[in-house]
Amino acid sequence: MDADIVRAVNDLTTRWATSLPAGNTVVSGLGLWPLLALLATGADEPGRSELAVAAGVDAANGSTDAIRLIEAIEESADLHAALGVWVSEQLKLAESFDAVMPAPLVGMLTGNPSVDKPKLDAWAADHTDDLIREMPLELDPDVLLVLASALLLRTTWVRPFTEQVRHVPNGPWIGSWHWLERVDSDLDAVRRYTHPTAAWLTVVTVAGDADVDVLLAIGQPQTSRADVLAGLLDVVAQPYGGESGRALIDLGEPGDEIAPGVRIAQTTSARPDLRVSLPSFSVEVEHDLMQSRELFGLTAVTSDPGDHGHFSALSPTPLQVGQAKQKVLARFFATGFEAAAVTAMAMTRAAMITSKQRRLDLALDRPFAFTAVLRDSRLPIVAGWVETPTQPGD
């Protein structure tokens, strides 16, 4: 897999994950990155440069890089990825459209939500094995083009965890929780790192049985969530840095904390080992990317472009990005880990700028009288007064 693309996806993931508010959350920079790269190739300035910077790509090669990434992912045993593009039957396409959006990816939108939504929902469900059953978009006749990516990850641990209910007597997690625990002879699965902002950081690698591992990180109590996330994502790029468990085990006496979350203990095993314990977890989130559009290079392409649109390489019709969302979940349990993400963007016709004239605007928004008359004689037939509206809205 191209190292520059991997670095670009990591950078996007770091910026996104460290910008999120407090609370359980999960994001997929990998799910978003191909869409930004595709849009960069199809966009005009200034959106082209904004998207290219956000994705960390050369805009001219963004579409090619996105396809290459999806193809590389498909070589994995545990990870599945897909890209989809749907175009309204009413949208005229530019001659260069196929060069940006390869024909095998493209389907059609009828403009009828009752037809289009089930089709796109089925695509999301099919490519996430029903973990995500709906495309995270609101479809209406104004949606002219949809881009989406889907990711599915399922891996089984080489060594499963045991399950138990554990009571935490104090601290922020006081209470009883579903807990996982296992003992591993590989001391190097845990490493201690120093980081410019996270100070001390402990990272443990939980190996899957195919080609996916899950890394878990804990910092010192005073370290912010953003700094721990940034430190972990830095570690992803240098997995063999830091100090290994084999070096740490001789640093203290039983009871001493020698790394965040790591204490020296004793075992009856014939050789030193590593015990890992944590709560099982399941996190599911939907992100509205429009709320942080500057982070994703979407500021220009979500604004009114006037008569020419933002995507002349896709269509002569003035287009702008009207929706951008991601639905993502992650589950860590005794025998493995699974995650899925569907990221989608919808393009609509840009609002046309028209000249404005003066008008008279009458609003009957308080009690008023009424009458009915014969036209020629002006004979009143009925007359009355409306004190309050009589038909409540459904």
Side-chain angles (χ1 to χ4, degrees), residues 43-253:
D44 304 318
E45 295 293 357
R48 183 179 178 89
S49 293
E50 283 189 357
L51 288 161
V53 169
V57 296
D58 178 349
N61 300 324
S63 176
T64 301
D65 288 343
I67 302 301
R68 287 171 56 201
L69 175 62
I70 298 300
E71 291 174 347
I73 289 173
E74 280 297 88
E75 296 176 3
S76 167
D78 286 341
L79 183 59
H80 167 71
L83 284 175
V85 181
W86 293 267
V87 179
S88 169
E89 295 172 350
Q90 309 303 316
L91 182 64
K92 182 178 180 180
L93 301 180
E95 292 183 2
S96 55
F97 182 89
D98 289 346
V100 181
M101 307 289 182
L105 301 180
V106 180
M108 299 304 297
L109 296 173
T110 65
N112 182 347
S114 66
V115 175
D116 296 334
K117 180 170 171 49
K119 178 168 60 177
L120 270 62
D121 288 349
W123 183 90
D126 182 54
H127 288 289
T128 62
D129 199 16
D130 279 340
L131 290 179
I132 296 177
R133 298 183 179 182
E134 292 187 359
M135 186 72 73
L137 292 176
E138 298 176 11
L139 294 179
D140 57 50
D142 293 331
V143 173
L144 299 180
L145 192 151
V146 170
L147 283 75
S149 74
L151 295 173
L152 172 64
L153 164 63
R154 279 201 169 107
T155 190
T156 301
W157 306 134
V158 171
R159 179 177 286 101
F161 291 77
T162 60
E163 303 176 75
Q164 58 186 293
V165 174
R166 175 176 172 181
H167 179 73
V168 179
N170 47 51
W173 285 3
I174 188 170
S176 296
W177 310 99
H178 191 76
W179 212 262
L180 306 177
E181 183 177 298
R182 80 177 193 188
V183 175
D184 193 340
S185 61
D186 182 11
L187 296 180
D188 288 349
V190 66
R191 307 183 82 86
R192 183 179 72 177
Y193 294 83
T194 57
H195 189 266
T197 57
W200 293 111
L201 184 73
T202 298
V203 177
V204 62
T205 299
V206 184
D209 65 355
D211 55 3
V212 171
D213 299 329
V214 175
L215 279 66
L216 308 168
I218 185 171
Q220 295 170 296
Q222 70 273 20
T223 306
S224 72
R225 187 183 71 158
D227 286 341
V228 173
L229 281 165
L232 175 59
L233 289 164
D234 282 346
V235 166
V236 169
Q238 48 157 348
Y240 302 110
E243 300 168 272
S244 71
R246 281 183 295 176
L248 297 176
I249 201 165
D250 295 322
L251 293 184
E253 299 299 324

Side-chain angles (χ1 to χ4, degrees), residues 4-18 29 33 53-56 233-234 295:
D4 290 337
I5 294 178
V6 172
R7 189 178 304 109
V9 173
N10 190 303
D11 289 347
L12 174 64
T13 303
T14 301
R15 294 197 309 273
W16 189 2
T18 56
W33 188 88
V53 169
L233 289 164
D234 282 346
L295 186 67

